[in-house]
Amino acid sequence: MSSSSPLSFTVSHRGTLHALSLLPENTLAVLQARLEELTQVPASLQKLLHKGKNLLGSDPDTWYQTTLAQAGFKNGLKIHMMGPTSQELTTMQSMENEQRKRERILRERALKPQVKPLEYLPNPASALAILTKLSEDPAIQHIMQIHKFSVGVLTELAPHEHPELLGLNVNAGQAIKLRIRTDRYDGFRLYREVRRVLCHELTHNVWGDHDNNFKELNSKLNREVAEFERAAANGTHYLSEVEDTYQPSSELEAEAHSYILGGMDSSGVALDESREERRRRVLEATMARLHKEDEELEKSCGTGSAKT
């Protein structure tokens, strides 16, 4: 049984003064447990300040070994304690969870813009279906999430009203307008081509002019779309039951073969390269083609400085 005299000191927290009496050989952990009972502040979040110094130190592992005497506690010591209560923690966590929920909902809404076909043009139902497909395209949602893009409205351009344009970005994503119809209104343009224009216009969410910054980001978006679809396809020709969502690989492979030297077997695969190497060449060939097409696309974009 200890013969040491107790130490008497006070701890204030939120305007309430707590008088304590503990033995010098009691550890800091014993004091923290007592303070948690009195204030509802968890021990791990307590700070005991005296003359600007935290008497608990910065290493929680020492709390069970360091005694009050070793920590510098004396009779008459006046200590100020800081730290949130368990109830406050619960409230803060609830608020943070609610905030994360709101942010998630906003992100989901941003990834799916409002789609608006031009009702006065022929077959608005088909136009709506195409615009919806674009807004829900997994590859498009992938790059929008990565780059934190948001689009308010996704709509179409009437060919007779804007014959020189394939796409237009209004106010950095407030609205994106795409030419989805043929010039004669006898059908719709290829989905893949329209989606490439969409990538171009999404780049205008960041860069207004068709400068090197724009070209670099636009190329990156096209590459990320191609890489996403290559991974998702996993060797198959389509990503979903709906054809045209992903173009058959044979078309892209044919492009890649024009860059490959050496013999091929009966299936058209270069004899001296692996499946992964072939996929890489397909991607490189695709990006080379897209780069050339993007140079032409800039001439039909209404967003750059030349069109304003």
Side-chain angles (χ1 to χ4, degrees):
M1 188 171 182
S2 176
S3 59
S4 301
S5 300
L7 296 174
S8 297
F9 52 91
T10 58
V11 177
S12 63
H13 180 253
R14 306 283 176 84
T16 300
L17 199 63
H18 302 280
L20 296 170
S21 181
L22 295 173
L23 295 173
E25 59 265 30
N26 286 148
T27 63
L28 292 174
V30 173
L31 170 60
Q32 289 176 293
R34 178 60 178 149
L35 288 173
E36 184 170 356
E37 292 177 0
L38 294 171
T39 64
Q40 303 303 309
V41 176
S44 60
L45 299 178
Q46 294 175 9
K47 286 186 178 181
L48 302 183
L49 303 178
H50 177 67
K51 296 183 178 180
K53 178 184 176 181
N54 184 9
L55 299 178
L56 296 175
S58 58
D59 186 2
D61 292 337
T62 65
W63 295 344
Y64 293 91
Q65 288 82 36
T66 304
T67 66
L68 297 182
Q70 292 170 335
F73 281 74
K74 299 177 181 179
N75 280 314
L77 201 65
K78 295 180 180 180
I79 303 168
H80 177 67
M81 187 177 83
M82 297 179 62
T85 67
S86 299
Q87 183 177 359
E88 289 170 341
L89 280 177
T90 301
T91 301
M92 285 188 292
Q93 289 171 352
S94 177
M95 292 175 62
E96 289 174 358
N97 290 337
E98 185 64 27
Q99 179 65 22
R100 283 195 292 268
K101 181 180 178 181
R102 286 197 297 267
E103 290 175 353
R104 177 178 57 80
I105 292 173
L106 289 175
R107 284 196 302 270
E108 291 175 352
R109 288 177 179 174
L111 290 175
K112 293 184 179 180
Q114 182 181 6
V115 293
K116 287 186 177 181
L118 298 179
E119 297 292 342
Y120 58 86
L121 296 181
N123 202 356
S126 294
L128 175 62
I130 292 172
L131 292 171
T132 300
K133 182 178 178 181
L134 286 165
S135 71
E136 297 177 352
D137 189 298
I140 294 297
Q141 290 195 347
H142 173 68
I143 63 173
M144 289 183 68
Q145 188 168 19
I146 288 177
H147 298 277
K148 295 180 172 58
F149 290 151
S150 63
V151 177
V153 177
L154 184 63
T155 186
E156 58 174 316
L157 286 170
H160 72 279
E161 295 175 353
H162 305 279
E164 78 286 4
L165 299 182
L166 292 178
L168 178 66
N169 185 319
V170 180
N171 293 333
Q174 180 179 341
I176 287 182
K177 303 179 180 183
L178 303 172
R179 173 96 70 86
I180 63 175
R181 300 173 185 270
T182 58
D183 292 346
R184 297 183 178 181
Y185 292 96
D186 54 359
F188 293 89
R189 300 177 62 237
L190 291 177
Y191 179 81
R192 188 182 64 180
E193 294 179 359
V194 177
R195 188 179 64 173
R196 183 168 53 83
V197 177
L198 176 55
C199 287
H200 181 102
E201 297 307 330
L202 283 172
T203 309
H204 282 302
N205 274 27
V206 180
W207 303 108
D209 297 337
H210 294 126
D211 56 14
N212 288 334
N213 290 322
F214 177 92
K215 295 177 189 295
E216 182 178 347
L217 178 56
N218 187 38
S219 177
K220 184 177 183 180
L221 296 184
N222 281 313
R223 183 170 62 252
E224 288 172 347
V225 166
E227 289 172 347
F228 176 85
E229 292 205 326
R230 184 184 65 165
N234 193 25
T236 61
H237 281 196
Y238 294 99
L239 294 178
S240 68
E241 296 298 323
V242 181
E243 295 188 0
D244 195 37
T245 298
Y246 179 68
Q247 296 295 323
S249 60
S250 58
E251 177 184 344
L252 299 182
E253 289 166 5
E255 283 188 78
H257 292 157
S258 67
Y259 293 86
I260 299 174
L261 298 177
M264 298 183 183
D265 62 15
S266 58
S267 66
V269 179
L271 294 174
D272 58 347
E273 68 176 354
S274 67
R275 184 180 185 88
E276 184 57 33
E277 288 173 337
R278 180 165 65 94
R279 287 179 175 177
R280 179 180 57 80
R281 290 182 180 272
V282 169
L283 179 60
E284 290 175 352
T286 303
M287 294 310 301
R289 171 177 59 80
L290 291 178
H291 178 71
K292 293 179 181 179
E293 292 178 353
D294 283 332
E295 291 179 348
E296 292 298 319
L297 180 56
E298 289 180 10
K299 302 175 183 178
S300 301
C301 174
T303 312
S305 59
K307 300 287 184 181
T308 57

